[in-house]
Amino acid sequence: MISKIEPNDAGFTGIWSDTIKMDCGMLFLNPKLADDIFFNKLSSVTCIDEKMVETSVEHFQKNHCIPYVYSSNYPELENMLEKKGFVYHDTQHALTKNTRPQKKPDAIKITHDTIDTWTGIFCDAYDCHEWSKTVSSILEKSLDSVDYFVDKSHSTCVALYETGSVLGLYCLGTIPSKRNHGMASLLINFALHEVHSRHLEFLMLETYERDNLLEFYSKLGFQKVYHKKIYTI
């Protein structure tokens, strides 16, 4: 299952960020999304290579980004990072679900004419209005490869990205005044119906431990598959 989830993560991140293939890892950078832990990262590391880490740090610094390195059950990598001055920062959990609710909620698909609607909700939800031009530009270029939706009340947004047999759910956010009204759950249920209508295997999403959303997703029936520890310097 990990081998199906990781390409989805890398594919979506690569749409929102520049991708640099390292000797045994993938470096993602988007300095316009200031120090975002998801869109600026070294991940998919498969070997212990100090030079690769040093080169990645140089790229981060050149782009004025905080270095984030993801470790997927790789204690040797974590030991090497700690010796180089990195410290543990957070844990990202990958979750999946494939059962769908009975009724499919309504959602509005974003087109070139409604990009600003999605951007406005996203920037309100994540309190990042300084990103609005960058986010709109990303959507403009990626509408053919990512499906962007909002709920009927225009209070919640989501991005759905398909690879192989997997549908990835990203950028789920609700504006502050509409939180705790079940809007995010509606779009999640919409995505689960998309999994079945597209004849895919499962829906996946990722959440950070610091966001304290594991219990929320667990109550919705999501199962933890694996996690990645995140180190920074």
Side-chain angles (χ1 to χ4, degrees):
M1 191 174 286
I2 295 175
S3 64
K4 296 178 181 180
I5 293 174
E6 284 297 298
N8 194 282
D9 173 293
F12 181 77
T13 311
I15 290 170
W16 278 58
S17 305
D18 292 330
T19 307
I20 301 173
K21 292 184 178 180
M22 310 300 285
D23 288 341
C24 54
M26 299 288 287
L27 180 63
F28 298 97
L29 291 167
N30 190 338
K32 292 182 179 179
L33 303 180
D35 294 326
D36 186 84
I37 191 173
F38 184 81
F39 295 115
N40 296 281
K41 62 190 178 188
L42 173 64
S43 64
S44 303
V45 178
T46 58
C47 73
I48 306 301
D49 187 339
E50 290 192 25
K51 181 61 178 176
M52 180 184 70
V53 173
E54 292 169 0
T55 301
S56 297
V57 170
E58 290 174 2
H59 279 292
F60 282 120
Q61 292 175 339
K62 181 180 178 181
N63 287 276
H64 307 289
C65 294
I66 296 174
Y68 292 111
V69 181
Y70 285 55
S71 169
S72 182
N73 192 28
Y74 203 165
E76 294 85 358
L77 170 63
E78 294 160 23
N79 290 337
M80 184 263 282
L81 291 171
E82 289 174 355
K83 289 178 181 178
K84 297 185 74 65
F86 281 78
V87 294
Y88 169 78
H89 179 73
D90 202 352
T91 297
Q92 183 194 58
H93 297 273
L95 315 175
T96 64
K97 183 178 178 180
N98 59 13
T99 56
R100 60 177 172 174
Q102 276 192 322
K103 184 178 179 181
K104 184 177 183 178
D106 293 325
I108 301 169
K109 187 174 183 179
I110 295 301
T111 67
H112 287 281
D113 294 332
T114 55
I115 284 173
D116 287 346
T117 298
W118 195 95
T119 298
I121 296 170
F122 176 84
C123 291
D124 276 349
Y126 288 93
D127 191 22
C128 58
H129 292 281
E130 68 277 11
W131 293 2
S132 59
K133 288 185 179 180
T134 298
V135 171
S136 290
S137 177
I138 291 170
L139 264 65
E140 189 72 42
K141 296 174 182 177
S142 63
L143 281 179
D144 291 336
S145 52
V146 181
D147 295 320
Y148 298 95
F149 293 92
V150 299
D151 74 308
K152 290 182 69 176
S153 69
H154 288 192
S155 60
T156 303
C157 64
V158 73
L160 300 179
Y161 178 67
E162 179 181 337
T163 55
S165 62
V166 178
L167 187 64
L169 184 148
Y170 299 93
C171 302
L172 180 67
T174 302
I175 61 176
S177 63
K178 295 293 185 178
R179 288 175 184 164
N180 301 314
H181 288 78
M183 302 302 181
S185 297
L186 287 176
L187 284 187
I188 291 171
N189 288 338
F190 171 84
L192 287 164
H193 274 271
E194 286 291 295
V195 168
H196 284 262
S197 64
R198 301 183 191 193
H199 306 290
L200 302 176
E201 190 174 347
F202 57 82
L203 178 71
M204 60 80 61
L205 59 83
E206 294 160 320
T207 186
Y208 293 96
E209 200 159 290
R210 290 189 179 196
D211 291 337
N212 295 315
L213 290 172
L214 280 173
E215 184 178 357
F216 167 74
Y217 289 120
S218 177
K219 287 180 178 178
L220 292 178
F222 281 86
Q223 300 292 323
K224 288 192 289 184
V225 180
Y226 65 102
H227 66 269
K228 290 178 271 189
K229 291 184 178 180
I230 304 161
Y231 287 78
T232 191
I233 193 170

